Amino acid sequence: MHFEYHEPTSVREAVELGARFGADGRFLAGGTDLLIQMRRGQLRPRHVVSLHRVPGLDAIDVDGAVTLGALVTHRRLEREPSFRGALQALIEGAEVVGGHQIRNVATVGGNIVNASPAADVAPVLLALDAEVTCLGPGGERSLPLEAFASAPGVTARRPDELLTRARFARLPPHSATAFLKAGRRRAMEISLVCVAARVTLDASRERCLDVRIVLGAVAPTAMRARAAELGLRGQPLTAQALREAGRAAAGECRPISDVRASARYRALLVATLVERALARCGERIRQAA
Amino acid sequence: MGKLALSLTINGESHDVLVEPHRTLLDVLRTDLGLTGTKENCLDAECGVCTLLLDGMAVNACIVLAVQCRDRTVVTIEGLAVGAELHPLQRAFIDAGAVQCGYCIPGMILAARAYLDENPTPSEAEVREALAGNLCRCTGYQKIVDAVMRAAGAPAAAR
Amino acid sequence: MTATRIVGRSLPRMDAPGKVTGTAIYAADFALPGMLHGRVLRSRDPHGRLVQIDASRAARVRGVRAVLTAADVADVRYGGSVKDEEVFARDRVRFAGQPLAAVAATSPEAAAEALAAIEVAVEPLPPIVDVTDALAAGAPLVHEGWASYAALPILHRDGNVCNRARIVVGDVERGFEEADRIFEHRFVTRSVHQGYTEPRAAVAQWDSAGQVTVWSNTQLPFEIQSTLSEILQVPVSKVRVVVPGVGGGFGGKLRVGVEHFAALLARKTGRAVKVMTTSEEELTAAYARQPAIVELKTGVTTDGRLLAREGRLWFDTGAFAGSGPGVASVATLMLAGPYRIPHLLLEGYAVYTNKTNFGSFRAPSGPQANFAVESQMDIIADALHLDPLDFRLRNIVREGEEGPTGQVLTAVGLEECLRKVADAIGWKDRRPAPGRGKGIACGWWTTTGGSSGVYVKINPDGTVALNTGAAEIGTAALTGAAQVLAEDLGVELADINVVSADTLSTPFDFGAQGSRTAFAVGNACRAAVADLKRQVIALGARQLGVDESALELRDGAVVAPAEGKRATLAELARISQASGGGLIAHGTFVAPPTPYDAKRVEGHVYPVFHSPSFHAHAVDLSVDADTGEVTIHRYVVAQDVGFAMNPTYIEGQIEGGVAQGLGQALSEEIVYDAGRVLNANLTDYKMPTAVDVPRIESILVQHPSLVGPFGAKGVGEPPNIEPPAAVANAVASATGVRITSLPITAEKVALALRERER
C-alpha cells in the first residue's frame, strides 16, 4: 500500500492531478471503500489525491434544481431539512448506510463512483432521474446517472475525471419518494435488496402520472423496474395495482445467490419492498395534501 | 515515497511525527505515540473499536490516513478526562455497570460523546442508532445505552 | 442467611476506571521496544498434499528477520485430549487456514509482503466438508495415523471419530415400547464465532537464561504455559505466561493460537515478536463453535410424561480434536435436558473434517443440544395438545432427584425460573396477535470444576493484595472474588488490589472458563481468609495480651470487645513484617467430586455437572409474514444463580449472553462452501448491533448451592444456551412454521411460509 499523497486545495488543482496520474491515481473522499480495498491489496494506486481540502464540493443547493456536491456526506443528507417531505427517500437511503462513523465521512460522490450494485443512495438518485457531472482536462460533461454505472465498480467516469456533483429536478406537486431495504441486521448492513420509489399522482391524487421504481442488489447495477413502472402509469394506486407492480418488478430483476441471500429470496423481497415502497409513497402524498 | 513530517493535534497537544502516507491515524496513534486507548480490531470500519473524534466528528481511525489529519483536531479517549476528573460519560459507564471486557468502551464513549454534542436529550432508540457502528460482544448494549442516557441526564454544563 | 456488607451488592468493578480512560493495557496494545511483527501464512486449500514450500524469496524481503516452516520446528504433536495438532502443516494440509509458515519483520507491511513471497505447492485432495462426508462408508481419513496419536485413554476413537461419549440409563427400547407416542426429529446448527472485539494477540521475548515470557490475552495462562513447553521443547519453568487485559474470550481464547508463533519467531530472531490475528484469520482459523447435527427420538405417554430418549449429536470438530471430545461429552448431559427421563441412550460424537479446529464457545454444546431438545419439547407439547409450560413442569427435575448420570441434584430452582419467566412474559396470552407469538425454553448447566489457588497478603497500610492465577476476561469475576475476600476479611472492596495471571508469580488456577472463576477463586479467597484469621488472631492475642477466644475480626481490625482492645490489620501487618515475614496466606479450592454412577457412561470426560445452575428464557416476538423478518418485543430470563455476588454484573452476563445467543439464533453463521469460508469478514459475519438487541429483563433466582461462596453458582455461560430454542419456539408460535436449523434467518422463515402456502 505504498503511494504518493497529494492534497489539492482547489477543484482545478484536483483535476490537474487527476489528469496527470490517470489510471495510476485515485481520488480519496471518505475512504470508506477506497482505503479498505487498498489495505486488502485489491487496489494499488501509485497516487492518492485526497479531496478533503477541496472547497466547493460539499454543498447542497436546493434553489431550482437540487444539486448535491460530490463531497456531501451521508450524515449531511440524512439531516437536510429540505429533504423532509417529497425527498424523504434521500434521508432514508442515507441513514441506513453503516454507522455514524461511516456516514460522517462517506460521500454521495463515493457512493456513485464506487458503483456497488448494493449501494443505497444511488438508487434513490436514479429514481429522481439524476444526472451526474464529471470534470476533466477537457472540461465538464453531464450524463444521466442511469448511463453512468455499467457493472460493479465500472462507470463512465474516465480516470482523469472528477465527479463533482449530482443534480435532479424538483418534484412536481403530488409527488413522494420512499426507500426501503432488507438486510440480516437492522444496521451496518449491505442491502440484500433495496428499493427506491418515486410516485407522482394527478391533481385528484387518484391516478399515477409518473413513477420510478429502482431496485438495488438484484442486478450488476442498480436497475429500473420498467415493466412495473409501465403497469402503474395512468392507473389508480390500488392495493391490487401495488401488488402487481411488486410482482412485475420481481419478474424483471436479475438477482444472484450469494453468501448474503438466495436469488429466490431476493426476488421475493423485491416484490414485497416494491409494493410497500409504493404504498408508502401513496400515503405520503395523501398526508401532504 | 518517503516519509512526511507532520504535526498532529491530539487531545490539545501537538505531536510531530514522521510517517509514510499509507499509515493510518489508528496505527500512528498506537505505534508511534503510544496512545493505545484507541483500539484495533477489524480494520474494515465494521466494529467501531477505533472510534475517535476528528474535528468533533466520530470516525473510524482505521480508515483515516494520518496525513489527512494535518491541521485538524483529534480527540481520543485519553483526552476526555480532565486530570483525575472523569468525563460524565466515563463516570456514567462505570456507574451503570456498562463496562465488561472494556475493549469496545473507548469507541463507545466517543461515539456517544459526538452524538450527545449533537443531540443532548436523545431517546433510547436514538442512542442505540447512534451506537450501531460500535460492536460490543459482552454487554448486549443494555447497560451501555443506560450509561449514555444517564450521562445525557447530567447537567449540560458538565457535558 | 446472615446479612452481608460487600458481597451481594452491585459495587462497581475494580478495573473500570482504567477501561473507561483508555489506560488499561490489553494484549493487543502490548508492545516492547524494537519489537518485530509476526504473521502467519495459511493454507488456501482445505485438503491436499503439501508438495513443497519455498520461503527463500520471502527471506530476502527487506525488513524480514525470520521465516519459519515445519522444517524449522520440532516435529511434535500436541493437543489437550488427542495429540493430533502440529505447529505448521508438514506433508498434508487439513483445512483452509492451517498454518504453513510464519514470518517476523520490522513492519507489518514487510511481513505481509514476505507472506506473499512464500511459494507453496499443494496437490489438492477432495475435502471432507462435513460430518456426513466424514462418516460415509469408505470416507478417507482426515488423520491416517489417528491410532498412533497419544490420547486420553478414556476416549472412544475410531477413524474420523475422535470421541464417542455415551450415557446409557435403563433400557431405551423398553421405554419406547411403553410409550404412547414417539417423536423423531433432526436439527442442524452452524458454526458461530465468539466475536470478542480484541483479536487474539501475543508478544514473546526470550531472555539470556533461556526463559521465554509471553504476554497473551489467553483465558488459560497455565494451559498455554504447558502447551508452549511441549511445542518449544523446554521445561515448563522456562515458559512464563502473563495476561495483560483481555478483550473478551467466551471460550475462544482457551487454546494456543498465536502464542507459539510469537515464541518461535522470537527464539529465532532474538527479538521480541508480536503476533495478532486478522478478522479473516478469526473467521477461518480460530476456535469457533462446532456445527452440529442432532437427532432426537423421544417417547412419551399421552398425558405428557417423558419415558425414553435416544439422542445423538455429531459435532464437526474440524481437522483436529481440540475441545471436541470434551464438548461431545458435555453434549450428552445437555441432550437429557433438565428432565426426568427413565430410559436414555445419548451419544455425542466429535468428528474430524477438513475445517478449522472448532473449539469452546460459552457453554460449549449447550445451545446446539438445547435448540434440539427444547424445540422438540414444544413440538411434542403441540402434538399432545399440552401447554408447553405445563409439559415442561410435568417433567423437570426437582430437588433430590437424579441427573442423567446418577448425580443427586440439589438447589434445583428450575420450577421457580419457569414460572417467573412465564408470568413476566404473559404466557397465558401466547399468541396475542396474528404473526406474534411467545416462546419458552429452559435448561441446566455446570459450574466447571478444577482447582484455584490464591495468595492473600495484608499490606502494612492495612490494604490487601489478592494474587490469583485467574485472568479477568471481562466478566468481573475477580471483582466478585474480591468482594468475597473483602466480606470475609472485614475490609472494604477499595482496600483490595488484584494481581493476576502470571504463571511465574501467581498460584495455579484452572483458568477463566466454564463459569467457574468467581466461584472457585471466591472459595479460594475464603480458605485464605480462614488462614489469615488464625494468623491475625494469634498475633493480635499476643500483642493485646488477651485470649484468642476473646478476639474477633471486623472493620479491618482484631477486636476484643469485652476488654475494649483493638489492633488494626495495618498494625498487625507491620508487626508481622518486622517479626515474621508478613501476613500472607495461600488459599486453595477444588470443587469436591460429585458422585455419579460410572456404569452409565462411556468415553466421557465430563460425566457430571458440578453445582448445576437452572434457567428459563421467554421471548415475545413478531414475524413479518412477507419478508420473514423477526422483531423481538420482549426477552425475559430467570436464572438460578444460587447467590448473586454482584447483581449488576450478573445482569451483564445475562444481557451479553442473550445478545450473543440471539446472534446465533437469528443472524450469525460462518458459511462454508467446499471447505472454504465465504464470509471471513465482519461485513458478512453478522453480529447483532445495538439496534438489533432488545432490552433484556433479568430475574435472579437464588437457590443457594452447597459448595459455592455464599451459595453462588456459575453464571457466565448459561445465558447463551436457551436463546436459539426460545426464539425457534416463539417463531413457531407466531407463524405455525417450525425452523429446525440455525440461524433462523428471515430468508428461512419467509421461504418456509411460502412452502406452507403451496
Side-chain angles (χ1 to χ4, degrees):
Chain A
M1 180 164 161
H2 290 273
F3 54 83
E4 281 190 42
Y5 176 77
H6 309 271
E7 213 169 76
T9 54
S10 70
V11 173
R12 202 180 126 164
E13 194 189 341
V15 170
E16 277 169 13
L17 288 167
R20 179 164 8 132
F21 306 134
D24 284 344
R26 283 276 168 167
F27 290 116
L28 170 62
T32 58
D33 284 302
L34 180 67
L35 291 179
I36 290 169
Q37 291 189 50
M38 286 170 61
R39 189 182 60 75
R40 290 180 177 169
Q42 292 158 350
L43 282 177
R44 298 172 186 277
R46 290 170 56 192
H47 298 272
V48 168
V49 179
S50 175
L51 300 174
H52 78 277
R53 284 183 207 282
V54 174
L57 294 179
D58 61 352
I60 296 177
D61 184 352
V62 293
D63 293 336
V66 179
T67 307
L68 306 176
L71 294 186
V72 168
T73 64
H74 285 64
R75 284 288 280 161
R76 279 284 308 285
L77 277 188
E78 74 186 85
R79 289 188 290 176
E80 171 58 40
S82 67
F83 294 164
R84 288 192 203 127
L87 295 176
Q88 192 68 28
L90 273 173
I91 295 173
E92 292 169 334
E95 71 188 2
V96 295
V97 173
H100 281 203
Q101 296 93 325
I102 294 289
R103 307 210 293 278
N104 278 333
V105 297
T107 62
V108 170
N111 195 266
I112 295 170
V113 168
N114 196 46
S116 160
D120 291 319
V121 166
V124 180
L125 292 172
L126 262 178
L128 292 165
D129 290 343
E131 60 170 36
V132 293
T133 300
C134 292
L135 182 62
E140 212 175 65
R141 65 182 179 118
S142 295
L143 65 165
L145 180 58
E146 202 181 353
F148 189 67
S150 53
V154 182
T155 70
R157 186 186 70 92
R158 299 180 193 118
D160 60 1
E161 282 182 322
L162 176 64
L163 180 107
T164 55
R165 62 180 182 269
R167 189 179 153 89
F168 53 89
R170 297 177 76 97
L171 297 182
H174 318 304
S175 297
T177 59
F179 173 88
L180 290 172
K181 95 184 228 179
R184 203 176 270 202
R185 294 185 289 205
R186 285 158 199 273
M188 298 299 286
E189 268 298 359
I190 294 185
S191 290
L192 302 178
V193 166
C194 62
V195 170
R198 164 166 70 89
V199 171
T200 302
L201 297 184
D202 63 13
S204 61
R205 289 188 298 277
E206 288 191 353
R207 285 176 192 280
C208 185
L209 277 185
D210 197 11
V211 61
R212 288 288 181 284
I213 299 168
V214 181
L215 315 176
V218 289
T221 64
M223 62 169 279
R224 272 178 66 180
R226 287 178 197 278
E229 291 176 2
L230 198 63
L232 276 178
R233 215 155 278 147
Q235 300 299 313
L237 235 46
T238 61
Q240 177 65 24
L242 301 186
R243 201 167 318 126
E244 275 168 19
R247 218 171 284 155
E252 61 192 309
C253 70
R254 292 169 280 137
I256 56 165
S257 292
D258 63 12
V259 71
R260 294 173 188 151
S262 70
R264 187 178 164 210
Y265 182 56
R266 283 194 162 105
L268 185 154
L269 284 173
V270 165
T272 299
L273 297 190
V274 164
E275 182 184 342
R276 289 181 183 179
L278 291 168
R280 195 165 284 193
C281 288
E283 283 159 29
R284 284 176 179 168
I285 294 168
R286 279 189 290 279
Q287 276 166 12
Chain B
M1 178 171 177
K3 294 182 175 179
L4 303 173
L6 74 151
S7 176
L8 298 173
T9 304
I10 298 156
N11 303 326
E13 294 177 348
S14 65
H15 297 262
D16 295 322
V17 293
L18 201 57
V19 299
E20 294 157 300
H22 69 265
R23 303 273 311 280
T24 61
L25 176 59
L26 175 65
D27 178 24
V28 170
L29 286 173
R30 288 173 60 84
T31 307
D32 299 33
L33 302 176
L35 291 170
T36 55
T38 308
K39 300 304 180 191
E40 175 178 339
N41 180 22
C42 76
L43 303 181
D44 277 344
E46 291 284 354
C47 75
V49 302
C50 64
T51 302
L52 46 67
L53 304 183
L54 179 60
D55 292 337
M57 237 169 26
V59 300
N60 291 310
C62 69
I63 55 162
V64 175
L65 299 175
V67 290
Q68 292 180 286
C69 301
R70 209 188 324 233
D71 306 326
R72 298 167 87 181
T73 61
V74 175
V75 174
T76 70
I77 192 69
E78 289 93 342
L80 226 52
V82 181
E85 187 67 31
L86 295 179
H87 186 278
L89 272 165
Q90 293 172 316
R91 189 74 256 161
F93 269 64
I94 296 176
D95 293 343
V99 181
Q100 289 192 32
C101 89
Y103 201 72
C104 74
I105 294 297
M108 284 285 182
I109 288 177
L110 289 168
R113 158 78 194 275
Y115 186 61
L116 291 185
D117 284 349
E118 181 184 311
N119 178 6
T121 54
S123 66
E124 177 178 333
E126 287 170 330
V127 168
R128 285 182 180 269
E129 204 279 324
L131 299 178
N134 296 73
L135 292 179
C136 169
R137 198 58 160 171
C138 294
T139 65
Y141 305 101
Q142 190 153 318
K143 294 191 187 325
I144 287 175
V145 172
D146 291 346
V148 178
M149 294 302 285
R150 188 188 284 234
R159 233 167 19 237
Chain C
M1 173 172 294
T2 53
T4 55
R5 289 180 310 121
I6 310 270
V7 71
R9 286 175 56 202
S10 284
L11 298 171
R13 59 185 302 141
M14 305 166 77
D15 54 6
K19 288 178 173 178
V20 299
T21 53
T23 52
I25 297 294
Y26 297 78
D29 304 329
F30 195 85
L32 290 171
M35 184 175 83
L36 300 173
H37 301 268
R39 286 283 304 271
V40 178
L41 179 72
R42 296 179 180 277
S43 172
R44 290 174 192 282
D45 298 284
H47 193 195
R49 282 200 328 108
L50 181 55
V51 180
Q52 203 202 340
I53 181 157
D54 181 356
S56 54
R57 213 158 56 82
R60 292 194 298 271
V61 170
R62 189 181 161 85
V64 168
R65 295 291 180 265
V67 185
L68 298 175
T69 67
D72 305 297
V73 301
D75 188 3
V76 285
R77 287 192 181 269
Y78 60 95
S81 51
V82 181
K83 294 199 182 297
D84 56 7
E85 298 175 53
E86 47 196 0
V87 175
F88 298 112
R90 203 161 278 273
D91 44 27
R92 181 136 160 218
V93 294
R94 291 186 169 85
F95 75 94
Q98 187 174 1
L100 302 176
V103 303
T106 51
S107 72
E109 290 81 11
E113 196 183 332
L115 288 190
I118 299 173
E119 288 157 36
V120 179
V122 171
E123 215 172 78
L125 295 167
I128 294 169
V129 300
D130 57 23
V131 164
T132 310
D133 252 16
L135 299 180
L141 295 172
V142 175
H143 292 272
E144 277 153 2
W146 68 271
S148 67
Y149 296 158
L152 295 178
I154 201 169
L155 302 183
H156 281 237
R157 298 189 299 141
D158 183 11
N160 284 337
V161 174
C162 62
N163 191 28
R164 186 203 66 204
R166 180 184 270 174
I167 296 177
V168 182
V169 183
D171 177 348
V172 79
E173 287 309 326
R174 212 187 79 211
F176 287 133
E177 280 164 27
E178 289 170 7
D180 298 320
R181 299 280 300 272
I182 292 171
F183 295 86
E184 292 187 71
H185 296 96
R186 186 171 197 267
F187 301 87
V188 177
T189 71
R190 297 272 203 143
S191 180
V192 287
H193 191 275
Q194 292 84 358
Y196 33 77
T197 49
E198 184 203 25
R200 287 174 296 156
V203 176
Q205 186 174 44
W206 293 76
D207 68 16
S208 52
Q211 176 184 276
V212 63
T213 302
V214 180
W215 292 266
S216 151
N217 51 17
T218 180
Q219 297 173 239
L220 307 184
F222 289 91
E223 166 153 338
I224 298 298
Q225 181 191 36
S226 65
T227 306
L228 287 180
S229 155
E230 281 181 79
I231 292 172
L232 302 170
Q233 302 274 287
V234 297
V236 163
S237 57
K238 293 290 187 189
V239 180
R240 178 185 183 189
V241 178
V242 183
V243 183
V246 182
F250 316 108
K253 293 174 177 170
L254 302 180
R255 317 277 174 236
V256 71
V258 287
E259 296 84 357
H260 51 326
F261 300 123
L264 287 162
L265 289 166
R267 180 156 69 183
K268 177 88 171 187
T269 58
R271 303 266 295 270
V273 177
K274 180 171 187 172
V275 181
M276 184 152 125
T277 54
T278 63
S279 296
E280 184 181 358
E281 286 176 300
E282 285 298 337
L283 288 160
T284 55
Y287 301 107
R289 200 189 286 289
Q290 298 87 358
I293 298 171
V294 191
E295 289 180 3
L296 280 185
K297 178 178 175 187
T298 303
V300 291
T301 61
T302 42
D303 64 346
R305 274 182 307 116
L306 296 170
L307 282 187
R309 173 170 294 160
E310 186 171 343
R312 285 186 183 79
L313 186 154
W314 292 270
F315 282 128
D316 182 339
T317 193
F320 304 103
S323 303
V327 177
S329 302
V330 177
T332 57
L333 293 170
M334 292 304 286
L335 287 178
Y339 300 113
R340 237 180 306 114
I341 310 178
H343 304 285
L344 292 173
L345 171 55
L346 304 173
E347 292 180 340
Y349 293 81
V351 181
Y352 286 128
T353 65
N354 291 121
K355 294 209 191 98
T356 189
N357 178 202
F358 298 106
S360 300
F361 178 173
R362 198 173 194 165
S365 86
Q368 299 104 311
N370 187 263
F371 171 59
V373 166
E374 289 296 280
S375 291
Q376 197 189 41
M377 286 297 283
D378 265 36
I379 296 171
I380 296 173
D382 280 354
L384 299 180
H385 305 292
L386 294 171
D387 178 277
L389 174 64
D390 293 340
F391 179 45
R392 285 179 173 80
L393 289 171
R394 209 165 290 187
N395 289 285
I396 54 172
V397 289
R398 289 165 195 279
E399 192 71 22
E401 292 183 345
E402 279 187 359
T405 56
Q407 73 176 102
V408 175
L409 301 170
T410 57
V412 182
L414 185 53
E415 177 172 356
E416 186 178 340
C417 290
L418 274 166
R419 290 196 186 279
K420 283 190 165 163
V421 286
D423 282 352
I425 206 78
W427 185 252
K428 288 197 170 65
D429 191 10
R430 247 178 89 208
R431 294 186 180 89
R436 184 163 177 173
K438 297 173 186 175
I440 203 166
C442 65
W444 70 317
W445 190 250
T446 184
T447 308
T448 298
S451 79
S452 285
V454 297
Y455 304 145
V456 177
K457 185 176 72 170
I458 301 178
N459 296 318
D461 60 359
T463 64
V464 179
L466 164 57
N467 191 318
T468 163
E472 173 59 70
I473 62 171
T475 58
L478 294 185
T479 295
Q483 283 179 266
V484 171
L485 176 58
E487 182 75 40
D488 279 2
L489 201 51
V491 300
E492 298 302 316
L493 186 60
D495 293 330
I496 295 177
N497 279 297
V498 177
V499 178
S500 81
D502 176 345
T503 59
L504 182 67
S505 59
T506 58
F508 177 79
D509 192 283
F510 187 55
Q513 58 178 332
S515 304
R516 64 175 295 282
T517 312
F519 183 99
V521 179
N523 266 340
C525 285
R526 303 204 84 174
V529 172
D531 181 351
L532 277 172
K533 264 189 184 164
R534 281 190 291 275
Q535 295 182 39
V536 295
I537 284 181
L539 184 56
R542 284 204 300 280
Q543 286 301 312
L544 299 173
V546 299
D547 205 62
E548 286 186 20
S549 61
L551 285 172
E552 54 191 73
L553 176 65
R554 64 167 128 100
D555 301 335
V558 290
V559 186
E563 286 84 351
K565 291 183 172 175
R566 189 168 185 276
T568 65
L569 288 176
E571 287 162 359
L572 294 173
R574 287 197 293 270
I575 292 162
S576 176
Q577 287 195 349
S579 62
L583 296 172
I584 185 165
H586 179 202
T588 63
F589 171 75
V590 62
T594 302
Y596 68 102
D597 180 357
K599 293 191 297 296
R600 298 185 186 184
V601 300
E602 286 174 31
H604 217 292
V605 296
Y606 207 99
V608 290
F609 278 178
H610 299 286
S611 299
S613 63
F614 299 89
H615 5 87
H617 291 212
V619 60
D620 172 5
L621 54 76
S622 290
V623 176
D624 183 320
D626 295 317
T627 64
E629 198 182 339
V630 169
T631 301
I632 297 175
H633 305 295
R634 288 183 64 210
Y635 198 104
V636 185
V637 175
Q639 181 169 333
D640 180 2
V641 301
F643 168 76
M645 290 166 69
N646 187 319
T648 292
Y649 296 109
I650 291 178
E651 287 168 17
Q653 288 303 299
I654 292 173
E655 290 157 13
V658 169
Q660 247 172 353
L662 290 176
Q664 173 161 24
L666 293 168
S667 64
E668 292 179 39
E669 55 182 322
I670 299 179
V671 183
Y672 279 88
D673 179 38
R676 288 189 178 84
V677 176
L678 299 183
N679 59 339
N681 55 68
L682 295 189
T683 310
D684 285 315
Y685 184 76
K686 306 286 191 185
M687 289 187 276
T689 72
V691 292
D692 294 293
V693 181
R695 186 155 277 275
I696 291 144
E697 300 160 50
S698 301
I699 300 167
L700 305 186
V701 171
Q702 305 191 49
H703 290 239
S705 78
L706 299 176
V707 178
F710 298 88
K713 300 174 180 176
V715 298
E717 293 168 296
N720 198 222
I721 295 173
E722 288 93 346
V727 167
N729 289 341
V731 167
S733 169
T735 63
V737 164
R738 169 64 56 180
I739 306 294
T740 56
S741 67
L742 295 180
I744 302 168
T745 58
E747 168 162 357
K748 274 185 204 166
V749 175
L751 296 181
L753 286 167
R754 291 301 182 288
E755 289 301 320
R756 193 183 53 178
E757 279 169 17
R758 285 193 182 169

